[in-house]
Amino acid sequence: MERNEIVIRLLWTGSVLTRNFLRRYMPTNILLDATRTPRGLKWGVPVMLLAIPYFLIAAVLVQVINDGGPAWLNVLVLLSIWNGLKMLWIGPLSLMLLARLHANRLKA
């Protein structure tokens, strides 16, 4: 049982460190964090438009892979789709958070 606990602790620590690194240094995460602030909520819908280039990149990479490109490009396809989805959901989320912020200000 002791060895299993060590493995679980190492996996947990590794995942926490990876999350912190990605949250701090990856451009899309920095942009999304800035958009979730009270001052940045108004930029949620324009940021949502950044999903278009990410999905376009994914489509181009899929075409390159289908034309005989290297299989490791599938990782970039997944990354592009993931970033595109992150940009898509920030638009409606920021509108909901902005409405809640205004409602709270009206109550006060």
Side-chain angles (χ1 to χ4, degrees):
M1 191 67 177
E2 184 176 302
R3 183 177 177 164
N4 290 340
E5 290 176 7
I6 291 172
V7 170
I8 290 173
R9 286 183 187 187
L10 286 173
L11 287 172
W12 187 273
T13 303
S15 67
V16 167
L17 292 174
T18 302
R19 180 202 178 275
N20 288 339
F21 174 79
L22 293 175
R23 176 63 85 216
R24 193 169 292 147
Y25 296 112
M26 295 297 117
T28 55
N29 291 334
I30 294 170
L31 179 64
L32 292 175
D33 285 342
T35 305
R36 284 190 217 109
T37 63
R39 290 184 61 190
L41 287 175
K42 63 184 173 192
W43 293 101
V45 175
V47 167
M48 190 172 78
L49 295 175
L50 289 175
I52 296 169
Y54 280 112
F55 291 132
L56 182 63
I57 289 169
V60 168
L61 287 173
V62 166
Q63 188 61 41
V64 168
I65 293 167
N66 288 338
D67 290 341
W72 61 266
L73 288 176
N74 285 311
V75 174
L76 295 179
V77 170
L78 288 174
L79 184 65
S80 296
I81 291 172
W82 178 252
N83 285 332
L85 290 173
K86 285 194 304 187
M87 295 298 158
L88 268 182
W89 71 264
I90 196 64
L93 179 68
S94 68
L95 290 176
M96 288 186 295
L97 292 173
L98 191 60
R100 187 174 75 180
L101 181 69
H102 285 299
N104 288 340
R105 286 184 182 167
L106 289 175
K107 288 180 184 178

